């Protein structure tokens, strides 16, 4: 099995450095263009199915990538974005620095404590890990290529399960860019990262 895991395209809240979480913000026009460029680069990939977060920014990204393929697109809440509770809609950065309530989230994730109504990173890793196990155990997809459209933190949750990393290494050195693609091969239960965080729009989009 080969899995293409990607983050959704840009939204207005991404551009404004606002925390989105479960707020259902659509792609902006630049986000759609990033997805279209990525779709063009992936047009020869024989996706047998796509699985997307139910949030519109991920769903629209999946639909653009899949294009006119007849393969099914299904939704799975286990790859929805981390719930930030009362933090949703807040600025993540002010004057180039992360605000205090999100400092640990970005720099010391093992110490992150969510605001009221929020979700822990440990729970995020548990649900995305459960999703990953389900997908990779599907016998009908054993030799297939699957698209997974998700979000920045949720994608890191999936990849932390792939690599078996601790929460201290949640971000693996960097945040995931919009429409970045990580390719994972799964053979006999063994995960191999073939490509990590690749973007296809650098030349076209500056």
């Amino acid at each position: 099995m080969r899995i293409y895991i990607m983050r959704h395209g840009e939204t207005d809240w991404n551009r404004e450095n606002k925390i989105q979480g479960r707020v259902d913000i659509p792609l902006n026009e630049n986000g759609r263009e990033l997805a279209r460029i990525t779709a063009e680069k992936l047009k020869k990939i024989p996706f047998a199915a796509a699985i997307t977060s139910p949030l519109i920014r991920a769903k629209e990204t999946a639909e653009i990538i899949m294009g006119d393929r007849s393969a099914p697109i299904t939704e799975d809440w286990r790859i929805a974005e981390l719930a930030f509770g009362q933090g949703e809609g807040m600025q993540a950065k002010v004057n180039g620095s992360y605000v205090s309530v999100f400092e640990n989230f970005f720099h010391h994730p093992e110490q992150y404590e969510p605001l009221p109504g929020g979700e822990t990173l440990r729970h995020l890793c548990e649900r995305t890990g459960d999703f990953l196990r389900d997908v990779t155990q599907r016998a009908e997809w054993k030799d297939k290529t699957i698209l997974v459209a998700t979000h920045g933190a949720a994608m890191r949750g999936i990849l932390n399960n792939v690599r078996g990393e601790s929460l201290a290494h949640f971000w693996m050195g960097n945040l995931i860019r919009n429409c970045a693609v990580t390719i994972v091969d799964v053979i006999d239960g063994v995960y191999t990262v073939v490509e990590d965080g690749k973007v296809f729009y650098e030349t076209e989009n500056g």
Side-chain angles (χ1 to χ4, degrees), residues 142-185:
K142 180 180 179 182
D143 300 314
K144 304 296 184 182
T145 300
I146 307 299
L147 174 70
V148 173
T150 184
H151 308 263
M155 187 167 170
R156 277 298 181 216
I158 295 170
L159 294 174
N160 270 55
N161 281 282
V162 165
R163 291 187 166 100
E165 291 284 3
S166 68
L167 284 181
H169 297 97
F170 182 82
W171 293 110
M172 300 177 197
N174 62 284
L175 303 180
I176 295 172
R177 299 172 66 183
N178 291 111
C179 283
V181 178
T182 292
I183 304 171
V184 178
D185 281 349

Side-chain angles (χ1 to χ4, degrees), residues 22 35 39 52 64 83 97 100 112 117-118 172 179 184 187 199 201 203:
R22 298 292 178 82
T52 179
I64 292 171
S97 298
S100 58
Y112 172 67
M172 300 177 197
C179 283
V184 178
I187 301 174
V199 294
Y201 51 81
T203 300

